[in-house]
Amino acid sequence: MQFYDRENEIDILLENEVLAQRTAQFCVLMGRRRVGKTSLIVRAMEGKEWAYLFVSKDSEAVLCGKMQRVLENELGIQVYGKLTKFKDLFEVMLKESLKRHFTIVIDEFQTLYKINPAIFSEMQDLWDRYHRESKLNLVVCGSIQSLMKKIFEDKNEPLYGRPTSKFTLLPFTIDVLKQIMHDHHPEYKAEDLLCLYMITGGVAKYVELLMDAGCYTKTKMLNYVCRQDSYFLSEGKDLLNQEFGDDSSTYFSILQLVAGGLTRRADIDGAMQKDMGTYLQNLEQNFRMLARLKPLLAKPGSKTTSYEISDQFLRFWFRFVWPYQSLVERQQLGLLRQNMEQQYEQFSGRTLEQYFQQKMIETGQYTLVGNWWDRKGVNEIDLIALNEFANTGVVAEVKRQSHRISLKALEEKMMALPSSDFGKYSLSMRGLSMEDM
């Protein structure tokens, strides 16, 4: 699959590269695994003088040996003797950058934390000493977001406040997914686009796998997921084991419960038979895998909340793959595929709501987007998008089939919206179905 989108992100990297010709730059690039961080950097650095250093799970001495060879081969930096400490290697880079400008990319940067946590204090000391006269463009990437957040956003950590630039690479937008589908299969249907969004959530690697395999329709996509050699069958486990470590079984259980429909805190605590507050907080704030949903404009202390898996692929994987590991292990993938087909319409109904909510956000016309329900659960509105500056908004009912939409019923639900919160907004009504994708 060809390279898509990322113009803004490439501009950021290129601007930093130009600035580093005068004074050192320190860019932190974060994002979930498979989202395309390495491809982005390779694209942006075409024609530049740069070296790519990957932090593998080796001892510090072995890692430094590998990196030393890369620096010699890619940048011609000659080091006498064999370096065994990362601080010595980093100082070599900084000293060389006093004489000339170049870019160093360190990928899977957070792995250094497991190799030797003292490395970050040593980097801080060296950066503070050299960066004013240096012409180094340093880019560090990380995909274990909990660790990257700790390293750069915890004020007690040595590298806090050192980066000159920091951003997160997000999955492809809906418009980009549409462009990809059009380029590969101009006759694609709304169901095909919805299925692509449901399985991949716009994550570049997942989209690339399906497109390169010629899976342009819903049927072919689901068939590919259930193939014996499918990348997707083990991807969720591979992805999360690296994040969760020793507590993985508890986190897996919570995510499976949420994907299966137990979305309230009390229900999750009951199913696990103990207080899951700390785990839920970690999944929401540190790992960013759960989103806590509240009715739009609800007060901060509102107890009318529920949880939802925020990553589309993980939401799909925990609903259709992880609970049926015995089928995967016994290679009964026909049954796995059959269950997907049987549950698909119901599951994709909520995916369609998320699709339109994301689409509303991506228009740039609304400051708040979400859904709303009352405390009794009698009235529920699928989508509300508000512009707080213009005091306008859209209220929408979302259904897979347009004939099931009732604007009259939506109008009655709107009457239940609290006037203290929504009274100042001029709201219009819409019905959204797959025909509007």
Side-chain angles (χ1 to χ4, degrees):
M1 188 177 81
Q2 70 182 64
F3 190 88
Y4 282 90
D5 194 37
R6 310 307 196 194
E7 288 88 356
N8 292 336
E9 292 85 354
I10 289 174
D11 286 344
I12 291 172
L13 292 172
L14 290 177
E15 286 172 12
N16 288 341
E17 198 271 340
V18 171
L19 289 171
Q21 295 174 24
R22 297 193 301 271
T23 184
Q25 299 296 303
F26 188 162
C27 178
V28 177
L29 171 56
M30 294 182 284
R32 82 184 299 288
R33 291 185 185 275
R34 330 302 189 208
V35 80
K37 298 184 296 298
T38 305
S39 297
L40 167 67
I41 289 171
V42 170
R43 184 80 169 191
M45 291 296 112
E46 284 181 355
K48 308 296 181 183
E49 190 173 17
W50 70 293
Y52 173 84
L53 305 178
F54 180 80
V55 183
S56 53
K57 295 179 181 179
D58 295 305
S59 68
E60 187 173 358
V62 171
L63 178 65
C64 288
K66 292 180 178 179
M67 291 183 170
Q68 183 176 340
R69 289 191 292 274
V70 173
L71 293 177
E72 290 173 354
N73 294 332
E74 299 298 324
L75 294 175
I77 299 176
Q78 297 298 320
V79 180
Y80 297 103
K82 185 175 181 180
L83 300 182
T84 59
K85 295 292 184 182
F86 186 83
K87 67 176 181 178
D88 296 330
L89 192 72
F90 191 52
E91 187 167 19
V92 166
M93 300 179 210
L94 286 166
K95 284 183 174 179
E96 182 71 19
S97 72
L98 298 176
K99 299 180 287 185
R100 62 186 175 115
H101 161 72
F102 54 86
T103 296
I104 295 289
V105 176
I106 305 177
D107 202 356
E108 296 300 336
F109 183 76
Q110 77 285 334
T111 307
L112 290 172
Y113 199 91
K114 298 181 180 180
I115 294 172
N116 178 6
I119 285 173
F120 303 119
S121 295
E122 295 163 351
M123 287 187 70
Q124 175 207 340
D125 175 56
L126 291 166
W127 182 261
D128 290 349
R129 278 197 278 147
Y130 286 99
H131 79 274
R132 290 178 181 84
E133 289 77 34
S134 166
K135 298 179 179 64
L136 174 64
N137 181 34
L138 178 63
V139 182
V140 302
C141 308
S143 54
I144 298 181
Q145 298 197 57
S146 54
L147 273 178
M148 290 294 285
K149 185 177 179 182
K150 175 180 174 63
I151 293 166
F152 291 107
E153 297 181 12
D154 185 338
K155 63 182 180 181
N156 297 315
E157 291 294 314
L159 290 179
Y160 175 79
R162 266 55 188 189
T164 55
S165 173
K166 182 171 62 174
F167 67 98
T168 299
L169 186 64
L170 299 175
F172 289 139
T173 64
I174 286 171
D175 282 346
V176 174
L177 285 181
K178 286 182 176 182
Q179 183 62 53
I180 292 171
M181 284 294 287
H182 180 268
D183 289 348
H184 288 81
H185 187 57
E187 300 82 21
Y188 78 90
K189 297 179 173 56
E191 192 75 81
D192 306 325
L193 177 61
L194 181 61
C195 189
L196 180 68
Y197 177 74
M198 179 186 75
I199 293 173
T200 71
V203 174
K205 178 66 174 179
Y206 306 155
V207 176
E208 181 181 39
L209 283 169
L210 293 172
M211 294 300 102
D212 287 351
C215 299
Y216 312 136
T217 66
K218 168 206 161 187
T219 299
K220 287 184 177 181
M221 291 178 201
L222 293 179
N223 287 346
Y224 186 86
V225 169
C226 296
R227 273 175 32 170
Q228 184 176 346
D229 62 341
S230 173
Y231 177 94
F232 293 102
L233 294 178
S234 62
E235 168 65 358
K237 186 163 55 176
D238 296 341
L239 194 70
L240 298 183
N241 278 336
Q242 299 178 63
E243 283 276 4
F244 295 148
D246 295 338
D247 290 324
S248 61
S249 61
T250 302
Y251 287 119
F252 271 69
S253 297
I254 293 172
L255 290 168
Q256 182 176 330
L257 291 173
V258 173
L262 293 183
T263 59
R264 296 189 304 129
R265 165 76 182 276
D267 295 334
I268 295 168
D269 287 348
M272 298 293 290
Q273 296 188 337
K274 62 178 179 179
D275 188 332
M276 289 288 104
T278 301
Y279 292 96
L280 289 168
Q281 185 177 24
N282 285 338
L283 284 168
E284 179 189 0
Q285 297 179 8
N286 295 332
F287 300 120
R288 298 178 184 178
M289 291 177 188
L290 280 185
R292 182 160 40 168
L293 305 181
K294 296 180 181 180
L296 200 67
L297 299 185
K299 301 297 185 288
S302 173
K303 295 183 179 179
T304 310
T305 62
S306 61
Y307 289 95
E308 184 171 67
I309 298 176
S310 50
D311 185 286
Q312 286 294 335
F313 168 74
L314 290 177
R315 179 173 171 267
F316 169 80
W317 191 82
F318 272 102
R319 176 63 184 84
F320 290 114
V321 180
W322 177 245
Y324 308 106
Q325 284 299 291
S326 60
L327 294 180
V328 175
E329 291 168 5
R330 296 198 303 265
Q331 297 294 303
Q332 292 181 291
L333 301 178
L335 290 175
L336 192 74
R337 175 68 176 86
Q338 182 179 328
N339 181 60
M340 286 182 189
E341 193 67 41
Q342 291 171 346
Q343 304 296 323
Y344 177 86
E345 187 163 325
Q346 179 185 6
F347 182 83
S348 64
R350 172 56 186 151
T351 305
L352 187 63
E353 293 178 23
Q354 295 170 320
Y355 173 94
F356 282 118
Q357 287 178 9
Q358 182 175 335
K359 183 63 180 171
M360 288 289 188
I361 293 169
E362 291 175 3
T363 64
Q365 299 177 23
Y366 304 101
T367 58
L368 291 173
V369 177
N371 50 4
W372 182 89
W373 64 96
D374 59 22
R375 187 169 296 179
K376 296 180 180 179
V378 176
N379 296 293
E380 183 173 351
I381 297 176
D382 298 327
L383 188 156
I384 301 179
L386 302 176
N387 184 318
E388 297 167 284
F389 304 119
N391 290 332
T392 58
V394 174
V395 177
E397 180 171 350
V398 180
K399 300 290 183 186
R400 282 176 54 88
Q401 287 84 33
S402 59
H403 70 268
R404 294 184 59 201
I405 296 173
S406 170
L407 293 183
K408 182 179 180 180
L410 179 60
E411 186 176 13
E412 292 173 358
K413 293 176 183 178
M414 285 179 62
M415 299 297 290
L417 290 171
S419 57
S420 58
D421 296 326
F422 292 91
K424 66 179 181 179
Y425 292 97
S426 175
L427 301 174
S428 60
M429 291 192 304
R430 286 190 65 183
L432 295 170
S433 70
M434 294 183 66
E435 296 173 9
D436 301 293
M437 288 180 67

